[in-house]
Each structure stands twice: as structure tokens, then as C-alpha cells.
């Protein structure tokens, strides 16, 4: 797939040549090469790689599945799905939680790691934030279409109306509407603010009139003024500071959707931290899945080095262990609490009709990620890609295991089975198509990495400021 | 905006080799008594803003006020709806079950603080401003690439086309000085 190497980088990067001491920027980069390497893709100077077309066309094809799935659903109603008594939360909710969890790693990278002075975040934050936005878009579809009458979705929000009715503010489902919409809005603002100086670069170096106009409008007349930068950095820092507790609150509220109910094994205090750890785990798997193609197709190996993959893999391993602890804790609490219902539900989960999904979850989320302890699996892209894929499957099954818990109630007469239908799968894989399509368009038309922050990361001798100093500069 | 004696000029634009040269130059220009000036760089340089006499931005205050207003209004809205306007008995919980209002209050705090921060940034910087006299200088395109610029406005009381140009040319590591047409 590596058909294209980025132009204007001089000699091809050798493995032992780095611009900085921390081995985060390969080759000999300067302010100019950084801008050209990232910006030329947007300006159409780099021929579109074959891999991009495969990703875009695959995504666009799957997007049609989403359209068909939604049309079918809207025409006939949620009866086309597999949901029925006793399982009213089917794969739509699994997909919702799966997507929104993936989104959280983007915020972690851009906000939390910024506050922690992690320089390596700089190569990843832009595309990880885009991943967040697109994942939240995909996530947002599912609760809406799950309502049965999605055209009344605005009833979730408080507004004076002639029915004199208001939302029920004590319900986590109502909190969810606020949490997810706030999360999307704040992520969008953070992403756009970060893009403004990069748009200014693209405006000033556009090759065609149309690029100049479009990027010029998006840049809003940014001219790199020191006064503007001062405010900009303060805003950037404060948005990171707000984004950090926001991401925790969002997934905590998502877990409240389950935990505030009184279903055995859902009604657990471990749920909020367990969900947040799982979200970051899944999100880093997706970051790895996106970083590897970007490295290959667009020759970004100098800017996303092996060290970045290594660190992402380690975070995935660490959060994976937290998630595994969550599985252990669930079983332990069920046993230790001596609650008949908790323990019986645990046994049903492990050895009942859906026991296979529980053990698949343990295999893909707990056992396979242990391979990352070996350096070979952190540094070899192909192997790391496979392990990340295992995490994607595992995190999907984690939520699946949670919802099929509903098949076994307190009263055996109300037990049932659940299986998704074709209509479920159309929407599920269709949402993946939406994500791939949006991400492919992002790769082509917007700077995949932050040009501004990468320049700042350059060492002094290469014209930079030796790392993002937002904590010191933001006043 | 332009000074009466030089109506054709917006100001002077000096380009420097490096960020450090821009910091030094900004200090020297300020010490020479100029007040209406600005630095321009492809990435933020905090020291330039310090030298310009802008040690602290207003964004923190804007976002604090925005966040507080959003959270207060949100909490009052939740209380009024659940207690006064549309009381619902949910599992016997009190109408004013304030702890159940915290998640939405928090989300509204974050949302309103963030929105006010972004709107505040744009308003305080006077953006969007697609046209600016500086864009008339072709070399200024490097301000988003690898150029470090210092602009002095003609509106500055100390500004004089010839003497300001000579002064800027005398600064260390200066690459060029250009007049910015109005």
C-alpha cells in the first residue's frame, strides 16, 4: 500500500535519524517540511493513495447499508429489529456504547495528555479528535432511532410547548441526551479551534482559488497575532481542562443508563469507572487502527513514529487490565454479596445460553491483549493491528454480554432469547460505513495532524519551541 | 485609523529569522516607546505577548462567568420544572431531588463555559476578519509557515515612516522591513 511517499522531505528518513531527542519526530524536519508534509495532502499535491480509495469506497458502500437499514426501520418501526420482551435494549444500545466509548480516546489524547505534558500526544491529537467527532455522530444515531418515533427526538430537551409537558429530569436517559450533545458540541469546538491556525496555513499556501476561498473562510482571518495567540492558548488549555472531567462524566452517565436500574449485575458501583476504562481501551484500539494507515498511505512515519504506537499500545494494555479487573470485580461482588440473584445471573452469564459471548469477551479483551507485554507486538504494526482488532470485537461483546443479561429475569416464566436481525446488522455495519466515509474525507481535506502543534514540538534548533508549552503560555 | 501625515500607510512590517529574534525585537521596540504593535508567528510564543504588555488574557474570566451562568440557570430550570411547573412523582423521590439534577447542571456548565470561551475568543480578537491590511504584503504568507513578523501601526503616536523603518532595520536578526499599504 505504501505507494506514495510525501514530497519535499529530502532524503528518505532512516530509522536512527530523529529531529528531536525524544525520538518523536523522524527525519530532519523543519517548520517548512512539517507544513508541506501535512498540508500538501489537503491541497491536493499528494496523489491520492490506493488505500484511501479502498477505505472511502468500502465506507461509502457500507453507508448505503445504513440508508437502507434506516429507511426500512422508519417505514415499519422497531419491530424489524430483534428486540422483544424481555430484551428491549438490543444491539442498538450495544452500538451506541461501543461508538461513544471509541470517541473517548480522542478526548483523552487531546485534553488529558495535554494537561499531563505528554509531548507524544501532538502527532495524534488531531486525527484522534476527528475520530471522536465521527464516533459520536455514529453513536448519536442509535438512541434516536431506538426511540421508535425518532422524529420526536427533540422532546428529550426542555422547551416550552403546547402540551405543557417537560422531560423527566431524574432519568439517566435524559442526562444522556444532555451529556452526549454537550460532548459533541464541546469536542467540535475544541477541534475547530485547533484547526483555525492550520486553516490559515492552507489559505496562505493554497494552490487554487477554491481552496483559498474555502480554507480562507474557515480560517476566519487568522493572522498569527501574538495577542490572539495568548487568548487562543488560554482557551485551548481551559477547553482541555473542561474536556477532561467532561469525558469522565459522559461515560459515567452512559453507565448510569444501566447502573441506575435494578437489574442484577447492572446495579453496580463499579460501572462508571469500569465503563470509562473500557472506553479508553476501545478508543486507543481505534487510534492504532487509524494511525497505521495514515503512516503508510501518506508517509507519515516520521511524524507518527514507532514510539507513538508503542505508547498507545501500552495505554491500551493498562486500560485493558483495568477492564479485566472490572470483570473480576463483577464476579467477586456477586459471589461475596451472597445475593441469590446476582450470583445466579453471573452463572447464567458464564454458562447460560449466551455463555459463549462471555468467554469470547474474556478471550478478546483480557487474554489476547496480554500479548502487548511483548515488545514485538508493540512495535510490529501488523501484530498490533490484529491485537487492536481483537479489542474492537471484545469491547462490542462486553456491551452485548450486558444486554443479554436481560434474557434471564428473576422469574423463569419471563425468560426469553434475543438475536439481532438483518435490519439490526444493516444499521450496525452501516454506521461503520458512515465513520469510514467521514474519516476518509477528513484525511483528504483537513490536516490529519496539527501543523501548528507539530511545529511547536520541533526542537529550538529546528525552529520550534521544544514541545507544547501551553501550560506555561496560557495566561 | 491611519495617521494624518501618512495616509497611504497602515504601518511597517519587519520579518525576523527566529522566534527568539522576534522576542528580542518586540522588547526593543516597546522600550523605544512604541505602543501600537503586534507580533505574528506560525505558533504561539508567550514571551512576545508578555513583551507586548498583554500578560494575561480575558478568556479565563469570560469562561468562568459563562460557566457559572450556565450552571445556575440550568439548576434553576431543573428545579422549577421538577418542583413547580411539572411535578412528577418518580418512585416517591422528592420533587426537589437536587442530587439528581447535578449531571445536567454539570453538562450545562461545561457547554456554556466552552461556548462563551469560543465566542469570547472570536469577539475579543475581532474575528472573523477575512480582510486585513497585513495580507497586502505577499511575504506575510510566511507568518503561517516559517516567518516571524513584527508590525508597527501608523496609528502609533511615535510612528514615522522613515525613522521607524530605520529603527526596525537596526534590530538584531532582522530579515526585511516592508511598508504595509493601507
Amino acid at each position: 500500500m505504501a505507494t506514495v511517499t510525501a514530497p519535499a522531505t529530502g532524503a528518505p528518513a532512516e530509522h536512527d535519524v530523529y529531529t528531536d531527542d525524544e525520538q518523536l519526530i523522524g527525519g530532519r524536519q523543519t517548520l517548512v517540511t512539517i507544513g508541506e508534509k501535512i498540508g500538501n495532502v489537503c491541497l491536493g499535491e499528494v496523489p491520492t493513495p490506493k488505500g484511501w480509495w479502498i477505505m472511502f469506497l468500502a465506507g461509502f458502500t457500507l453507508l448505503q447499508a445504513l440508508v437502507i437499514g434506516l429507511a426500512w426501520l422508519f417505514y415499519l418501526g422497531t419491530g424489524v429489529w430483534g428486540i422483544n420482551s424481555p430484551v428491549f435494549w438490543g444491539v442498538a444500545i450495544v452500538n451506541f456504547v461501543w461508538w461513544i466509548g471509541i470517541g473517548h480516546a480522542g478526548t483523552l489524547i487531546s485534553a488529558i495528555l495535554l494537561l499531563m505534558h505528554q509531548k507524544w500526544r501532538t502527532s495524534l491529537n488531531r486525527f484522534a479528535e476527528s475520530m471522536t467527532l465521527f464516533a459520536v455522530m455514529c453513536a448519536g444515531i442509535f438512541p434516536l432511532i431506538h426511540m421508535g418515533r425518532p422524529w420526536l427526538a427533540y422532546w428529550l430537551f426542555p422547551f416550552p410547548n403546547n402540551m405543557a409537558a417537560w422531560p423527566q429530569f431524574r432519568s439517566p436517559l435524559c442526562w444522556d441526551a444532555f451529556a452526549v450533545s454537550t460532548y459533541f458540541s464541546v469536542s467540535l469546538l475544541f477541534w475547530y479551534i485547533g484547526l483555525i491556525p492550520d486553516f490559515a496555513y492552507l489559505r496562505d499556501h493554497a494552490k487554487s482559488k477554491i481552496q483559498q476561498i474555502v480554507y480562507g473562510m474557515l480560517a476566519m482571518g487568522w493572522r498569527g497575532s501574538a495577542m490572539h495567540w495568548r487568548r487562543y492558548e488560554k482557551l485551548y488549555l481551559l477547553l482541555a481542562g473542561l474536556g477532561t472531567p467532561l469525558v469522565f462524566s459522559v461515560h459515567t452517565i452512559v453507565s448510569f443508563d444501566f447502573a441506575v436500574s435494578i437489574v442484577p449485575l447492572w446495579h453496580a458501583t463499579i460501572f462508571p469507572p469500569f465503563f470509562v476504562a473500557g472506553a479508553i481501551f476501545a478508543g486507543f484500539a481505534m487510534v492504532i487502527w487509524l494511525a497505521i494507515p495514515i503512516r503508510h498511505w501518506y508517509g507519515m512515519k516520521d511524524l507518527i513514529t514507532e514510539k507513538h504506537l508503542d505508547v498507545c499500545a501500552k495505554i491500551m494494555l493498562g486500560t485493558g487490565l483495568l477492564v479485566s479487573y472490572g470483570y473480576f470485580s463483577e464476579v467477586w461482588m456477586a459471589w461475596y454479596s451472597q445475593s441469590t440473584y446476582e450470583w445466579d445471573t453471573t452463572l447464567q452469564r458464564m454458562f447460560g445460553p449466551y455463555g459463549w459471548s462471555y468467554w469470547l469477551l474474556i478471550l478478546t479483551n483480557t487474554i489476547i491483549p496480554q500479548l502487548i507485554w511483548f515488545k514485538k507486538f508493540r512495535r510490529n504494526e501488523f501484530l498490533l493491528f490484529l491485537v487492536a482488532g481483537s479489542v474492537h470485537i471484545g469491547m462490542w461483546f462486553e456491551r452485548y454480554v450486558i444486554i443479554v443479561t436481560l434474557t434471564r429475569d428473576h422469574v423463569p416464566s419471563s425468560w426469553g432469547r434475543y438475536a439481532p436481525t438483518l435490519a439490526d446488522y444493516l444499521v450496525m455495519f452501516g454506521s461503520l460505513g458512515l465513520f469510514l466515509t467521514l474519516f476518509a474525507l477528513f484525511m483528504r481535506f483537513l490536516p490529519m495532524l496539527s501543523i501548528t502543534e507539530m511545529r511547536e514540538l520541533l526542537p529550538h534548533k529546528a525552529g520550534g519551541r521544544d514541545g507544547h508549552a501551553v501550560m506555561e503560555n496560557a495566561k | 485609523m491611519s495617521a494624518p501625515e501618512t495616509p497611504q500607510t497602515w504601518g511597517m512590517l519587519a520579518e525576523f529569522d527566529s522566534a527568539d529574534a522576534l522576542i528580542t525585537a518586540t522588547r526593543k521596540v516597546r522600550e523605544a516607546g512604541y505602543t501600537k504593535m503586534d507580533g505574528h508567528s506560525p505558533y504561539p510564543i508567550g514571551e512576545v505577548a508578555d513583551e507586548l504588555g498583554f500578560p494575561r488574557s480575558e478568556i479565563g474570566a469570560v469562561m468562568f462567568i459563562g460557566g457559572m451562568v450556565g450552571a445556575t440557570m440550568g439548576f434553576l430550570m431543573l428545579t422549577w420544572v421538577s418542583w413547580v411547573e411539572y411535578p412528577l412523582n418518580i418512585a416517591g423521590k422528592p420533587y426537589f431531588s437536587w442530587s439528581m439534577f447535578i449531571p445536567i447542571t454539570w453538562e450545562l456548565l461545561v457547554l456554556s463555559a466552552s461556548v462563551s470561551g469560543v465566542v469570547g475568543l472570536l469577539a475579543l480578537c475581532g474575528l472573523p476578519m477575512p480582510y486585513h491590511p497585513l495580507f497586502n504584503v505577499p511575504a506575510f504568507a510566511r507568518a503561517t509557515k516559517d516567518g516571524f513578523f513584527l508590525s508597527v501601526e501608523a496609528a502609533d503616536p511615535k510612528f514615522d515612516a522613515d525613522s521607524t523603518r530605520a529603527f526596525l532595520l537596526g534590530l538584531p536578526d532582522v530579515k526585511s522591513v516592508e511598508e504595509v499599504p493601507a
Side-chain angles (χ1 to χ4, degrees), chain B residues 83-107:
Chain B
W83 199 2
V84 181
E85 175 64 12
Y86 197 62
L88 286 173
N89 187 335
I90 303 295
K93 292 181 188 107
Y95 292 132
F96 179 61
S97 41
W98 64 270
S99 54
M100 304 295 268
F101 302 160
I102 297 298
I104 295 181
T105 305
W106 160 252
E107 300 300 333

Side-chain angles (χ1 to χ4, degrees), chain A residues 32 164 166 169-170 201 204-205 220-221 223-226 228-231 233 246 249 455 463 465 473 475, chain B residues 20 38-41 43 46-47 50 54-55 57-58 78 85 95 97 100 106-107 129 132 144-146:
Chain A
V32 178
W166 291 86
F169 290 127
R170 297 180 195 85
Y201 168 80
D204 290 343
H205 302 87
M220 296 203 285
R223 52 185 188 276
S225 154
H228 296 182
W229 277 126
R230 168 122 290 167
R231 298 185 181 112
E233 286 214 286
L246 176 66
S249 79
R455 282 179 172 151
R465 296 298 278 171
N473 277 339
K475 285 173 186 165
Chain B
D20 292 329
D38 204 347
H40 303 271
S41 53
Y43 51 75
E47 294 89 334
D50 291 339
F54 189 47
S57 75
E58 319 85 337
L78 294 165
E85 175 64 12
Y95 292 132
S97 41
M100 304 295 268
W106 160 252
E107 300 300 333
M129 189 195 282
H132 192 277
T144 53
K145 193 179 185 183
D146 59 344

Side-chain angles (χ1 to χ4, degrees), chain A residues 409-462:
Chain A
D409 206 342
H410 300 274
V411 187
S413 63
S414 63
W415 287 3
R417 294 297 295 265
Y418 169 73
T421 62
L422 177 63
D424 279 300
Y425 289 123
L426 280 175
V427 181
M428 175 173 149
F429 289 104
S431 69
L432 191 64
L434 177 65
F435 181 83
L436 290 176
T437 308
L438 289 170
F439 199 84
L441 293 174
F442 156 77
M443 285 165 92
R444 172 64 185 77
F445 293 109
L446 296 177
M448 283 179 269
L449 278 65
S450 172
I451 300 173
T452 308
E453 291 182 44
M454 285 307 294
R455 282 179 172 151
E456 206 182 18
L457 182 68
L458 288 171
H460 267 102
K461 60 181 183 335

Side-chain angles (χ1 to χ4, degrees), chain B residues 2-86:
Chain B
S2 45
E5 64 270 25
T6 51
Q8 300 304 314
T9 306
W10 180 83
M12 285 288 168
L13 184 68
E15 186 181 353
F16 297 89
D17 279 338
S18 66
D20 292 329
L22 177 61
I23 297 167
T24 315
T26 314
R27 182 166 61 247
K28 287 193 188 289
V29 174
R30 177 177 54 85
E31 283 168 357
Y34 290 92
T35 48
K36 285 194 161 294
M37 54 192 188
D38 204 347
H40 303 271
S41 53
Y43 51 75
I45 309 168
E47 294 89 334
V48 176
D50 291 339
E51 297 296 348
L52 288 169
F54 189 47
R56 203 173 173 82
S57 75
E58 319 85 337
I59 295 292
V62 169
M63 289 180 75
F64 181 79
I65 294 168
M68 284 302 120
V69 169
T72 312
M73 297 300 285
F75 191 82
L76 290 176
M77 185 266 298
L78 294 165
T79 307
W80 176 73
V81 167
S82 312
W83 199 2
V84 181
E85 175 64 12
Y86 197 62

Side-chain angles (χ1 to χ4, degrees), chain A residues 48-71:
Chain A
T48 307
K50 272 200 205 94
W52 185 90
W53 279 110
I54 294 169
M55 178 177 180
F56 177 75
L57 290 175
F60 197 70
T61 309
L62 281 174
L63 183 60
Q64 311 315 309
L66 180 67
V67 174
I68 295 166
L70 290 181

Side-chain angles (χ1 to χ4, degrees), chain A residues 76-129:
Chain A
L76 285 171
T78 42
V80 298
W81 284 351
I83 48 174
N84 208 333
S85 178
V87 180
F88 288 110
W89 279 15
V91 290
I93 298 301
V94 175
N95 297 336
F96 164 66
V97 184
W98 190 74
W99 275 121
I100 200 144
I102 284 173
H104 287 337
T107 317
L108 180 100
I109 289 175
S110 56
I112 301 178
L113 297 179
L114 178 80
L115 300 182
M116 292 183 174
H117 293 260
Q118 296 299 307
K119 286 185 184 178
W120 58 271
R121 80 176 260 291
T122 308
S123 305
L124 308 174
N125 69 330
R126 170 65 47 69
F127 79 83
E129 283 170 37

